[in-house]
Amino acid sequence: MLDELDRKILATLQVDSSLSVQEDRVGLSSTPCWRRIQKLESTGYIRRRVALLDADKLNLGVSVFIAVRTNQHNAEWAARFKKTVISFPEVVDFFRLSGDVDYLIRAVVPDIAAYDDLYQRLIAKIDLQDVSSMFAMEQIKSTTELPLMYASTGRGREGSSRHSAAM
């Protein structure tokens, strides 16, 4: 269960995990704050700490959303498809959906030619019914910060732990 101090620590770390979480930010001195961070890590609330890189500076300024429909709805095909998609370094998000689209993939590439190369490698490895690609024209909002107002404080059920193991 999270208390208000844990939520303050998580909120601060989401903004910049390289900052030391000090008394003026969360109301705790260094040692008890560090113990709480270690507990949040050991209990899985903090999965890992990473650096966020600038895609444009790394020549990865094109985001493409790839909607996949399949007529294969069996465990063997799904496992092969997941393994295939996860193997592509260009893929940064990968979801199984409800509704008309079965899977949604977000990939980052330098240009349309690089996307076409990704597409050709994908269809060479696995049979797909329909693939539709949409290119982002403008990124209006993108964040890694989760809305902590829904985090459990012990009044109700704990949040779901169903997250991708591929991360």
Side-chain angles (χ1 to χ4, degrees):
M1 274 183 270
L2 297 177
D3 63 16
E4 193 57 36
L5 284 173
D6 291 332
R7 288 167 43 156
K8 283 181 183 179
I9 290 169
L10 291 173
T12 302
L13 291 174
Q14 282 194 116
V15 173
D16 187 348
S17 70
S18 70
L19 298 173
S20 60
V21 182
Q22 298 172 0
E23 191 173 331
D24 60 326
R25 294 193 195 145
V26 296
L28 281 178
S29 61
S30 296
T31 301
C33 189
W34 180 243
R35 280 191 203 118
R36 281 179 176 257
I37 291 171
Q38 288 177 317
K39 184 177 179 190
L40 290 166
E41 287 176 330
S42 70
T43 56
Y45 285 98
I46 298 172
R47 293 190 318 190
R48 64 184 182 190
R49 296 189 231 178
V50 299
L52 300 177
L53 307 180
D54 186 308
D56 289 328
K57 287 187 179 188
L58 295 168
N59 192 33
L60 294 168
V62 176
S63 281
V64 58
F65 295 86
I66 308 158
V68 175
R69 290 183 182 94
T70 182
N71 55 6
Q72 301 285 320
H73 295 282
N74 61 70
E76 180 186 324
W77 182 92
R80 249 185 50 244
F81 180 61
K82 289 175 187 178
K83 184 177 179 181
T84 298
V85 173
I86 289 169
S87 75
F88 292 113
E90 301 94 334
V91 172
V92 294
D93 288 306
F94 180 31
F95 302 94
R96 185 172 56 89
L97 306 176
S98 64
D100 293 336
V101 172
D102 296 304
Y103 295 91
L104 183 64
I105 302 164
R106 183 173 71 93
V108 292
V109 292
D111 53 34
I112 303 297
Y115 167 68
D116 187 50
D117 178 65
L118 170 66
Y119 171 79
Q120 296 298 330
R121 287 182 287 138
L122 177 64
I123 63 170
K125 289 188 175 211
I126 195 145
D127 206 19
L128 301 173
Q129 177 185 342
D130 181 55
V131 178
S132 178
S133 303
M134 299 152 280
F135 294 89
M137 302 300 291
E138 177 183 15
Q139 186 178 65
I140 297 169
K141 180 179 180 180
S142 178
T143 184
T144 60
E145 294 178 45
L146 298 176
L148 295 176
M149 67 264 208
Y150 299 106
S152 177
T153 57
R155 295 182 308 260
R157 67 183 195 97
E158 287 291 313
S160 172
S161 61
R162 295 183 56 181
H163 295 288
S164 172
M167 301 194 133

